[in-house]
Amino acid sequence: MNGNCHFIFGASLGTAFAMNTDKLETILPRLTDSPETATLFVLGGLIGGIFPDIDNPTSHIGKLTVPVSSVVGKFGELAGKTGPMHRGILHDPVVYITGLILSYMICPSLVGLFLGCISHLYLDMFTPAGIPLLFGASHIRLAKIKSGSQQSVVFTWLNVAFVLLIGFLL
């Protein structure tokens, strides 16, 4: 999926969580029901939705953070992650699931960011490259939707509608 798809889906997921902070607080007491928490969910979803592509200097976020993305990209090249298969450690769900758990325990303000990153990986599971699991030991690919295609846009918007519908219904 392209940056626009990741951006809008991360934002919608963050918004769905922001609409339900009162319910989340009863399940996860470290998350407070406040305007600040809701805002952090939306912003975290926006930023996290595109963050994993920082390892690709040609991505939207890579172009905005050229020095950082170049360094991260070089490390990826050393590990053999180049081209459309650039997906290295920053596309491994283990990293973000661990980050989500640790952020909840230590710094709940970052939970939205990690949820946004997970939304990115969710969409990337439907691309031909898929995502690496356990640092590249295997790959998860659920479909072969090409990034930037009409199919990817439709798929993204269907997911956005579904996430927001669930957010409203809860």
Side-chain angles (χ1 to χ4, degrees):
M1 306 298 155
N2 67 20
N4 293 332
C5 291
H6 289 303
F7 195 74
I8 192 67
F9 185 61
S12 66
L13 186 66
T15 300
F17 273 86
M19 291 187 298
N20 291 288
T21 55
D22 57 332
K23 294 166 191 79
L24 289 171
E25 184 181 40
T26 61
I27 302 166
L28 303 168
R30 293 184 57 84
L31 296 176
T32 58
D33 178 22
S34 68
E36 293 82 10
T37 300
T39 302
L40 288 169
F41 270 122
V42 176
L43 289 175
L46 285 167
I47 296 166
I50 59 171
F51 179 80
D53 279 341
I54 201 167
D55 63 350
N56 182 356
T58 63
S59 68
H60 287 313
I61 193 168
K63 289 176 185 173
L64 293 172
T65 60
V66 171
V68 174
S69 66
S70 295
V71 169
V72 174
K74 292 293 180 198
F75 281 112
E77 287 176 20
L78 291 173
K81 306 292 183 185
T82 59
M85 301 295 283
H86 75 273
R87 296 177 182 155
I89 193 170
L90 293 181
H91 277 77
D92 194 322
V94 172
V95 171
Y96 298 110
I97 292 168
T98 303
L100 181 63
I101 293 166
L102 290 175
S103 69
Y104 174 73
M105 292 170 29
I106 299 167
C107 185
S109 302
L110 294 176
V111 166
L113 177 72
F114 286 99
L115 287 172
C117 292
I118 291 169
S119 78
H120 181 108
L121 301 185
Y122 168 77
L123 289 180
D124 277 356
M125 285 192 305
F126 294 90
T127 64
I131 59 170
L133 183 61
L134 300 172
F135 309 105
S138 65
H139 272 72
I140 301 171
R141 179 180 64 216
L142 301 177
K144 292 185 178 183
I145 301 172
K146 291 187 178 183
S147 180
S149 68
Q150 184 66 28
Q151 188 181 15
S152 72
V153 172
V154 170
F155 179 75
T156 300
W157 281 105
L158 286 173
N159 278 281
V160 165
F162 178 72
V163 164
L164 290 176
L165 179 66
I166 296 297
F168 280 117
L169 293 177
L170 291 178

